[in-house]
Amino acid sequence: MKPVRTRFAPSPTGFMHVGNFRTGLFAWLVARHYGGTFILRLEDTDKKREVEGSDEHIMKCFEVLGLAWDEGIKVGGPYAPYRQSERLESYIDWARILVDAGRAYADPYTPEEVEAFREEAQAAKKPFLYREHRPENPPKWKPGMPLRFKSDPKNYEWHDAVMGDLHAGPEVIDDFILIKSDGFPTYNFAHIIDDHEMQVSHVIRGQEFIASTPNYLNLYEALDFERPVLAAMPHILKADGKKKMGKRDGAKDVLDYFRDGFLPEAMVNFISSLGWNDGTEQEIFTKQELIEKFSLERVQRSGARFDEDRLHWMNGVWIRSLNVDELYARSRNFWPKSADAYDDAYKTRVLGLLQERLKYFAEIPALSAFFFEDLPVDLELVDKNKQLKKYSRDELKSLLTTAQASLEQSDFSAADLTERLNALLDQTGQKPGVLFSIIRIATTWSPSSPGLADTLAVLGKDISLRRLQASLEAL
RNA sequence: GGCCCCGUCGUCUAGUGGUCCAGGACGUCAGGUUCUCAUCCUGAAGAUCAGGGGUUCGACUCCCCUCGGGGUCACCA
């Protein structure tokens, strides 16, 4: 078997969304699975659509999710350069070979004339086929003129690693443009030359290319290139597709998720689960497991919707699986301004309490606010509380006073706090629903918080007692 | 419009002729875990396998038709 070499070859036309990225991830997985090579190539042959900075963006997506490329832009490799705009001579060379073999010719028409042909076909409700207007004596081609492939229409059957056996008739094969008048090759031509020169073994791309595959097959023959393994990836659809699951993808920028504090492990796990599974009931996969178990044959043929709820759940699973120190190291950029005054040890303890209720890091400020600053007294928390609203302010105050007396004696270790809180239950004859609720509210003024004893232990004696006193005065 | 691809719980999916009156996960709902939120545990609802015809002793699985969705028909990728 030939060495496995896969590539991801995006065009630098904007940010990368989850759908694009998954294609790259799968190509990466195939390479790693077979101990092969993963190439990151840039298809920048359309200068008009190019968006500055997208190459950096693309690379960052891979870097941030921990997917290294062995050859490609920035890192180089034996088949450099890996930007198509820097490989122009190569395309011209192959174009000349095709011209000399009588398999390519100059397109003598103006864009307007071609457009007229197209409209004609449209009016007749027929698909447009340039070859029906193939000129009899085309001028000799030279750079600056559009060059077309002289196709040889025929039936094709081919195997797609994902879609299975596919076929198409000669009616879909046409004389497409090889080299544009600006001297740049089209994707249709350039990717075939590059894949051949770079020894790419698996061409993994979106299923929108299925329709043009017969043309590529025809070109492979004209060039006498070996066919690579072909794999068409189904699309990822919008989550809120409702009835009109129309528009494809619509997914967010991959980096947006990273900015919101989703873990690379979870992103890779989740994206790979969109359209792939290993046939067992396993849901959580490490990158290593993915590498071992992945196969194109098990990729789904139908499109998948991007369900953020499921991503949230999965990210939570990964957050809970990390130890706190590791988690803290990764969460550094997500703490609120008010946390600046506190040291790493304190924030790590806070994070320890947040860990099991965090879905992604961007939630940290909202969930941890009361650990860093006194929240305003909000009497509604008391008045709207199902248990507390049955009691008068004086009764509640009396409970707090009793608690205050006991807590003043505490060393504020979680163990001692737990013991005292339990003793307070006996002493006041109250249910936890009442006693703990009022203490929790009086020390956090937050609608929710981690367990009372743990929260007080992290808050510490000074802050806890000070807030208790302030609340006593405010009630 | 031509050609091509797809169609199992709301969502991601298991399923390759019988072990499926269809299994798992997310989500939802209910209950439990000394307060809240979350975690964790238990349970429930949820898919006439898009519909209709065949083939077969037997079909989610094979064939045909219909419907629905998507892709493509660029000097874009």
Side-chain angles (χ1 to χ4, degrees):
Chain A
M1 182 174 173
K2 277 179 57 180
V4 170
R5 293 173 57 82
T6 67
R7 46 67 164 178
F8 181 57
S11 57
T13 51
F15 70 84
M16 185 145 71
H17 60 235
V18 182
N20 291 144
F21 184 77
R22 186 187 58 172
T23 303
L25 171 62
F26 284 3
W28 182 87
L29 250 14
V30 169
R32 290 290 172 271
H33 178 82
Y34 291 105
T37 303
F38 177 63
I39 303 164
L40 185 57
R41 183 174 75 212
L42 207 62
E43 314 237 305
D44 57 343
T45 56
D46 185 354
K47 293 176 296 180
K48 295 182 293 294
R49 294 208 314 155
E50 193 159 331
V51 174
E52 202 183 335
S54 7
D55 52 346
E56 291 297 330
H57 175 96
I58 289 162
M59 290 190 278
K60 188 160 185 202
C61 288
F62 279 85
E63 282 163 2
V64 133
L65 294 194
L67 309 181
W69 57 102
D70 310 298
E71 291 176 26
I73 50 175
K74 197 162 101 176
V75 305
Y79 302 99
Y82 292 90
R83 303 179 102 95
Q84 293 186 325
S85 59
E86 297 169 8
R87 303 175 61 79
L88 265 25
E89 313 86 75
S90 197
Y91 308 127
I92 300 295
D93 287 348
W94 284 105
R96 289 195 193 285
I97 289 174
L98 248 13
V99 170
D100 292 346
R103 294 307 306 275
Y105 60 92
D107 179 346
Y109 300 113
T110 63
E112 292 70 30
E113 287 171 315
V114 177
E115 184 54 31
F117 295 151
R118 199 190 321 283
E119 279 165 13
E120 200 178 291
Q122 209 157 34
K125 296 207 167 198
K126 281 168 56 186
F128 170 62
L129 241 28
Y130 181 94
R131 64 175 153 84
E132 289 176 350
H133 306 274
R134 190 183 280 172
E136 283 186 24
N137 293 302
K140 184 171 162 43
W141 177 74
K142 51 182 187 295
M145 300 168 77
L147 183 72
R148 281 187 186 266
F149 176 49
K150 188 172 183 182
S151 62
D152 175 22
K154 56 167 84 162
N155 273 301
Y156 276 107
E157 288 182 6
W158 73 97
H159 183 77
D160 184 284
V162 171
M163 296 297 174
D165 292 323
L166 302 177
H167 62 88
E171 69 279 1
V172 302
I173 293 181
D174 197 15
D175 291 4
F176 58 91
I177 297 274
L178 262 15
I179 306 280
K180 297 180 277 183
S181 56
D182 64 3
F184 281 79
T186 57
Y187 163 84
N188 298 325
F189 185 47
H191 88 274
I192 283 180
I193 299 305
D194 289 343
D195 288 343
H196 175 258
E197 295 193 332
M198 295 175 184
Q199 308 275 307
V200 168
S201 62
H202 293 61
V203 170
I204 300 165
R205 82 239 288 191
Q207 67 174 180
E208 65 271 26
F209 291 103
I210 290 179
S212 42
T213 297
N215 276 127
Y216 305 147
L217 261 19
N218 207 229
L219 222 206
Y220 285 134
E221 284 178 12
L223 254 10
D224 198 25
F225 287 174
E226 198 181 326
R227 274 190 204 179
V229 173
L230 299 172
M233 306 300 309
H235 290 307
I236 291 182
L237 314 164
K238 254 182 136 116
D240 54 355
K242 291 283 165 54
K243 300 163 192 162
K244 297 236 181 207
M245 44 157 110
K247 312 282 174 57
R248 69 175 235 232
D249 65 69
K252 283 199 286 184
D253 181 344
V254 172
L255 287 184
D256 279 344
Y257 290 100
F258 183 70
R259 289 187 202 102
D260 280 345
F262 284 86
L263 263 19
E265 290 92 331
M267 291 300 292
V268 168
N269 190 167
F270 180 72
I271 293 174
S272 68
S273 80
L274 254 28
W276 176 85
N277 71 82
D278 74 341
T280 71
E281 288 178 354
Q282 184 172 350
E283 308 280 345
I284 303 299
F285 293 88
T286 62
K287 202 184 288 175
Q288 195 51 45
E289 288 175 311
L290 251 17
I291 289 171
E292 285 162 16
K293 299 174 178 184
F294 188 80
S295 78
L296 288 171
E297 285 66 32
R298 287 202 62 87
V299 171
Q300 209 78 252
R301 287 176 175 72
S302 55
R305 273 184 205 69
F306 190 91
D307 180 6
E308 283 205 341
D309 278 341
R310 197 172 151 80
L311 205 215
H312 288 173
W313 162 75
M314 197 171 273
N315 200 52
V317 170
W318 278 99
I319 283 179
R320 274 170 254 130
S321 77
L322 294 175
N323 71 54
V324 213
D325 292 320
E326 172 68 19
L327 196 63
Y328 180 63
R330 296 182 188 217
S331 70
R332 288 194 180 275
N333 299 325
F334 295 90
W335 294 86
K337 196 104 192 76
S338 57
D340 288 351
Y342 295 81
D343 62 18
D344 291 340
Y346 182 79
K347 281 184 272 189
T348 302
R349 292 182 73 194
V350 171
L351 187 59
L353 298 187
L354 258 36
Q355 187 168 15
E356 70 184 26
R357 56 211 91 207
L358 219 47
K359 296 279 186 245
Y360 49 95
F361 291 149
E363 294 179 320
I364 289 178
L367 291 177
S368 67
F370 68 86
F371 280 108
F372 304 112
E373 58 185 323
D374 293 355
L375 261 31
V377 169
D378 177 5
L379 267 5
E380 283 219 332
L381 290 177
V382 177
D383 299 335
K384 294 262 171 81
N385 185 293
K386 270 206 283 283
Q387 304 277 344
L388 301 183
K389 66 178 171 195
K390 300 178 204 150
Y391 294 80
S392 70
R393 289 285 154 77
D394 284 339
E395 288 170 309
L396 295 175
K397 277 177 158 176
S398 137
L399 286 176
L400 285 181
T401 309
T402 309
Q404 189 179 37
S406 171
L407 295 180
E408 272 167 357
Q409 309 298 313
S410 177
D411 62 4
F412 269 68
S413 64
D416 183 65
L417 250 9
T418 302
E419 210 171 296
R420 283 175 186 280
L421 254 14
N422 283 338
L424 244 16
L425 246 25
D426 291 338
Q427 191 182 334
T428 60
Q430 274 299 351
K431 291 190 206 160
V434 175
L435 213 220
F436 292 179
S437 288
I438 187 60
I439 299 176
R440 200 181 61 71
I441 289 171
T443 49
T444 66
W445 289 106
S446 194
S448 70
S449 75
L452 221 209
D454 287 337
T455 299
L456 292 179
V458 170
L459 242 20
K461 192 165 187 173
D462 291 350
I463 295 178
S464 299
L465 258 22
R466 193 192 72 223
R467 289 187 186 172
L468 215 45
Q469 182 57 39
S471 298
L472 230 23
E473 287 159 17
L475 270 173

